[in-house]
Amino acid sequence: MNTPVQIIGGGPAGMALALALHRGGMASRIVDARPRGAAQSDARILALSHGSQLSLETLGVWQGIPRTPITTIHVSHAGGLGRTLIRAEEEQVPALGYVLAAGDLAAALDRAIATTGIEYLDNTPAPEHTDAPLTVHAEGRIEDAMDIRTRDYGQHAVICRTRTVKPHGGMAWERFTPAGPVALLPCNDECAVVLTCPAADSERIAALADADFLALLQQRFGPRVSFVSVSPRLVYPLGLRVRRNPVGERAVWIGNAAQTLHPVAGQGFNLALRDIMDLADTLADHGSNGDPGDPALLARYAARRRLDRAGTVGFTDGLVRLFSNATPPLLHARGAGLLALDLFPPARSFVARRMMFGARGW
């Protein structure tokens, strides 16, 4: 009998889906063109929400992942008054989210895959044709879709780690500036930095001497935190690419194959994990002996995900565009909005739960 689901891509999204399907009693096979374990060298830092933590606990991989809790998020913007604080204790959760290395997540998922006996074919290019009832594309850029939404922000992210004068205390910072947002995430006893800058400047900024980069970071971030050292920098291009319909004929697209988002608010992999868990639940509801590629079933999954996908894409895209505009009226309006958010707990809780659970937080 053919394996019901073939997953193209052995990164975190593909492995998480295989585990979620296994939990629901459905067999799958992972096919990856890279050597097994290649994803464990990913140097990026992820901010996973409380909701994603619960999903990874369900998959049995959370306890094996080194992570740093985020207990408070400080949001501010350069050039104006107004800021807001979102606290885990207000939402009655142990942490709003957790910061971890993408490579550590991949390693934990791979260990869990090995214990289940899920078939994993590495060094194997994706076949042009497959006899699997359903193929899930879990990696790759969105190139071939007829109906895609794109936006070029003209920005790159310069990422690194830094040490600060004072301990981070579990606080994450999101600072919006005219040149792009700057995020500071607690990561072990350091902080992970995501500094957004114009694409034309990224390589020059990444190549700055440490002292010059620290001066630029301090100038962009402001006086609330003082930086004392920095690691080598890496550069990643930023943009918005969304496959409006994540399903096709006996095919589903998840992870970066379905959407790539700006890293502001750290929603990319959190959205992907919600897609994964809903896909596994939809297929499980249909039964292990059913046809996972049934068009009606895939349409049901797409409908199930429509609100959360559209809301998350709109949320991140709107933040980038709203806070990149430095005109005085909008600057003052943003400051008033941040102040109002800080003074009105129900609105602050709405934003917090939206970040933790997506549309489910509503």
Side-chain angles (χ1 to χ4, degrees), residues 2-193:
N2 295 329
T3 302
V5 181
Q6 179 162 266
I7 302 169
I8 307 300
M15 289 190 287
L17 176 61
L19 290 171
L21 293 173
H22 179 79
R23 172 176 167 268
M26 182 166 289
S28 66
R29 173 176 60 241
I30 297 173
V31 178
D32 197 328
R34 302 170 300 177
R36 185 163 182 171
Q40 297 178 33
S41 63
D42 191 338
R44 290 175 297 174
I45 297 297
L46 299 177
L48 297 190
S49 68
H50 175 65
S52 292
Q53 174 215 341
L54 298 179
S55 294
L56 292 173
E57 282 184 342
T58 298
L59 298 181
V61 300
W62 183 249
Q63 293 305 318
I65 305 174
R67 69 269 184 180
T68 305
I70 298 172
T71 55
T72 307
I73 300 175
H74 185 292
V75 185
S76 65
H77 68 142
L81 299 176
R83 67 98 174 99
T84 193
L85 290 173
I86 301 173
R87 299 179 176 88
E89 61 185 4
E90 290 185 351
E91 303 307 316
Q92 299 180 357
V93 294
L96 297 166
Y98 298 84
V99 180
L100 50 92
D104 288 341
L105 172 61
L109 289 165
D110 202 343
R111 288 193 297 270
I113 290 287
T115 65
T116 62
I118 294 171
E119 188 177 5
Y120 191 125
L121 304 178
D122 65 343
N123 295 302
T124 305
E128 292 187 14
H129 305 285
T130 176
D131 54 4
L134 176 64
T135 298
V136 180
H137 302 271
E139 288 184 6
R141 280 177 54 85
I142 304 169
E143 302 288 1
D144 58 343
M146 297 296 293
D147 187 22
I148 63 173
R149 176 185 175 188
T150 65
R151 187 183 303 282
D152 181 3
Y153 297 113
Q155 296 177 338
H156 285 175
V158 178
I159 68 170
C160 59
R161 298 194 188 200
T162 185
R163 289 190 178 274
T164 55
V165 171
K166 296 180 180 179
H168 54 65
M171 180 175 286
W173 305 77
E174 189 82 58
R175 175 77 165 167
F176 292 94
T177 79
V182 182
L184 195 64
L185 306 172
C187 188
N188 300 322
D189 58 351
E190 299 178 307
C191 290
V193 176

Side-chain angles (χ1 to χ4, degrees), residues 172-331:
W173 305 77
E174 189 82 58
R175 175 77 165 167
F176 292 94
T177 79
V182 182
L184 195 64
L185 306 172
C187 188
N188 300 322
D189 58 351
E190 299 178 307
C191 290
V193 176
V194 183
L195 184 144
T196 306
C197 61
D201 295 338
S202 62
E203 295 295 341
R204 177 188 61 81
I205 289 174
L208 288 172
D210 287 358
D212 294 331
F213 182 84
L214 285 172
L216 173 65
L217 178 61
Q218 194 72 69
Q219 183 270 325
R220 287 275 305 273
F221 196 84
R224 289 187 174 95
V225 176
S226 296
F227 307 98
V228 295
S229 65
V230 66
S231 71
R233 276 73 70 191
L234 298 173
V235 175
Y236 289 92
L238 303 178
L240 173 70
R241 294 183 70 83
V242 178
R243 186 183 295 265
R244 286 192 169 94
N245 186 1
V247 305
E249 183 178 356
R250 297 197 171 276
V252 176
W253 288 265
I254 61 171
N256 285 340
Q259 64 263 327
T260 56
L261 310 181
H262 194 287
V264 65
Q267 291 298 297
F269 189 74
N270 293 300
L271 175 59
L273 197 51
R274 296 196 295 270
D275 289 343
I276 287 163
M277 301 304 285
D278 272 0
L279 177 58
D281 287 346
T282 301
L283 297 181
D285 290 344
H286 195 59
S288 59
N289 295 322
D291 178 6
D294 175 30
L297 184 67
L298 299 186
R300 192 183 313 156
Y301 162 73
R304 186 172 179 171
R305 295 303 305 146
R306 189 168 294 123
L307 177 63
D308 190 18
R309 291 185 77 232
T312 303
V313 170
F315 177 62
T316 57
D317 183 50
L319 279 177
V320 175
R321 292 192 289 152
L322 173 65
F323 281 92
S324 294
N325 192 317
T327 59
L330 199 55
L331 183 70

